[in-house]
Amino acid sequence: MKLLSIESSCDETAAAVVEDGRRVLSSVIDSQVREHQVYGGVVPEIASRRHTENIVGTTRLALEQAGLSLAEVDAIAVTAAPGLIGAVLVGVNFAKGLALAAGKPLVPVHHIRGHVAANYITWPGLEPPFLCLIVSGGHSHIVRVEDYTTYRILGRTQDDAAGEAFDKAARSVGLPYPGGVALDRVSRGGDPERYPLPTPHTAGKYDFSFSGLKTAVINLSHNAAQKGEALSTEDLAASFCHKVSGILWDKLEAAARDTGESRVAIAGGVSANSWLRERAEQGCRQNGWQLYMPELPLCGDNAAMIGAQGYYELLAGNTAGMDLNGRPYMEIDSKF
C-alpha cells in the first residue's frame, strides 16, 4: 500500500511516498531555515506563505521520484496537528483537495506520532510495544507505544520543551538559528564540567522542566557580558548539552526500569543531538536494552515519517472527511 504524505507543520515543506509504512519510495524537503535565520527563529506568517508557494512543486517532485501518478497512490496522509496553525492549514487544505480530486482516503496524522514512526523506517523490525522519549522544539514526552495508534503518556515537560531550551540557550551565547544544531556543533570541543548547571526538579517522576536550566545559561551569558569577562562558548555549550542529555536519559531510564520495558526509542528533532545519542547508547549497553533511534535525516521534520504513521492510521480506520481542520495543539494520545 502506497501513501502520498505531506508535512507542513513548521518551516519545512515536505512530501513523500511511503510503501507499507516502512519503505520510502521518495522524500522531498524544501527547507526555509536560511530565510528564518535572519530573524533568529521561525516567523509563522513567512512560513505559511512559503508553504503555499512550495507545496505543489514539492508534492509533484515526490510523485515523480517515486515513479507514480496521483492515481496510483492508495491514500493521502497529512500532518493535521500540532504545529503553527497557518502552516498546518496549508498542508491540510492541499491534502483535502488532492484526496477529493483523486477519490483517495484522507488520513490525518499527529505530527509527534510521525516522529515516533521515523523509527519504523530506520528499524523495519521494530513493532510496539516499546518506550519512546520524544524530544523536539515544542514537545518533550516519555510515552509507552502500546500499539501503532495507541499511546500512554508517562511523563512530559512542565514548561519549556528541550528543543526550545536548546534554541534559546544558543541564542543567548550568540549562536545562529537553528540553535540546537549550532550548540551541538560547537560543544564537541568544549569542557562539559566547566560551568556547573542546576538540575531542575519536578513533582512527576518522569516529567521534565527546562525553563530554569535555560535561564541559568542566559544569566551566565548576561553576567559575563556585564562584567566584561570572557565566556567560553564551547565550554558552556558542552555543559548545557551534557546536562540536558543527562536529564533526558535519566528520566527515560527510570521509566524503563519501572515498567520493565527493555526496548527504548528516541524520536524528534533533538534525537539528532550527539550528546543524547551517545548517552542513550551507553545507557542501553549498560542495562542490556535495545535502543532505537532514527537515522539523522529522519530526526527533523519530514513527510516520510508522516507516511509511515499514516499507513498504520489507515489500517486502523482513522480517516477523515472534507471537514478535517488543522489544530495548533493536540495530545499524542488523542484522536482526530
Side-chain angles (χ1 to χ4, degrees):
M1 189 178 296
K2 301 178 181 67
L3 271 70
L4 170 64
S5 53
I6 296 165
E7 153 64 26
S8 67
S9 65
C10 192
D11 61 341
E12 275 87 24
T13 311
V17 178
V18 179
E19 184 175 22
D20 295 338
R22 305 278 173 161
R23 181 173 173 233
V24 179
L25 303 183
S26 68
S27 180
V28 179
I29 302 173
D30 194 321
S31 177
Q32 305 171 21
V33 165
R34 289 187 179 180
E35 186 167 7
H36 293 286
Q37 277 179 335
V38 66
Y39 304 103
V42 177
V43 180
E45 175 65 18
I46 293 175
S48 301
R49 289 178 180 271
R50 295 299 172 265
H51 288 314
T52 302
E53 295 168 0
N54 300 332
I55 197 165
V56 173
T58 300
T59 303
R60 181 181 291 121
L61 184 57
L63 286 169
E64 289 176 356
Q65 290 184 357
L68 298 170
S69 67
L70 181 60
E72 292 175 300
V73 301
D74 297 290
I76 312 294
V78 63
T79 298
L84 301 175
I85 188 57
V88 170
L89 286 172
V90 174
V92 167
N93 287 323
F94 183 68
K96 285 164 66 174
L98 287 180
L100 182 63
K104 305 294 182 180
L106 176 65
V107 185
V109 177
H110 191 288
H111 179 76
I112 304 305
R113 290 190 182 194
H115 275 303
V116 175
N119 280 294
Y120 302 146
I121 298 172
T122 301
W123 302 90
L126 174 61
E127 297 179 350
F130 57 90
L131 284 186
C132 189
L133 169 67
I134 305 163
V135 275
S136 67
H139 303 270
S140 294
H141 285 72
I142 294 177
V143 303
R144 188 170 192 271
V145 184
E146 307 278 348
D147 62 44
Y148 290 109
T149 60
T150 305
Y151 304 76
R152 179 161 59 92
I153 299 173
L154 302 181
R156 69 180 78 200
T157 183
Q158 298 301 295
D159 39 60
D160 293 347
E164 179 184 356
F166 270 110
D167 285 341
K168 290 183 177 177
R171 184 187 300 177
S172 74
V173 295
L175 294 175
Y177 172 83
V181 176
L183 204 68
D184 190 19
R185 183 175 61 250
V186 303
S187 71
R188 301 315 301 182
D191 177 6
E193 306 295 336
R194 172 75 179 278
Y195 297 103
L197 295 172
T199 300
H201 296 282
T202 58
K205 186 175 183 180
Y206 314 127
D207 289 338
F208 305 101
S209 173
F210 295 109
S211 179
L213 187 56
K214 171 199 68 181
T215 301
V217 173
I218 293 173
N219 287 342
L220 275 172
S221 178
H222 287 176
N223 289 339
Q226 290 169 356
K227 295 176 181 178
E229 298 176 350
L231 187 71
S232 170
T233 301
E234 292 80 6
D235 290 348
L236 185 53
S239 298
F240 186 78
C241 289
H242 175 72
K243 175 61 70 172
V244 173
S245 63
I247 292 170
L248 291 169
W249 170 252
D250 288 347
K251 298 282 188 175
L252 179 59
E253 182 180 45
R257 285 179 173 170
D258 290 348
T259 60
E261 183 57 70
S262 62
R263 298 191 305 159
V264 297
I266 301 177
V270 181
S271 67
N273 181 268
S274 62
W275 293 80
L276 177 58
R277 293 176 84 91
E278 290 172 7
R279 190 65 174 266
E281 288 170 350
Q282 179 187 39
C284 283
R285 280 196 303 270
Q286 292 174 344
N287 287 291
W289 297 340
Q290 178 64 52
L291 174 65
Y292 303 91
M293 297 184 291
E295 56 186 326
L296 291 178
L298 290 171
C299 291
D301 292 349
N302 64 88
M305 68 184 195
I306 302 303
Q309 182 60 29
Y311 170 74
Y312 295 105
E313 300 290 349
L314 180 60
L315 291 184
N318 297 331
T319 58
M322 291 299 107
D323 59 346
L324 176 67
N325 201 2
R327 303 186 194 180
Y329 306 104
M330 185 180 181
E331 292 287 2
I332 190 173
D333 56 352
S334 299
K335 302 289 186 182
F336 285 98

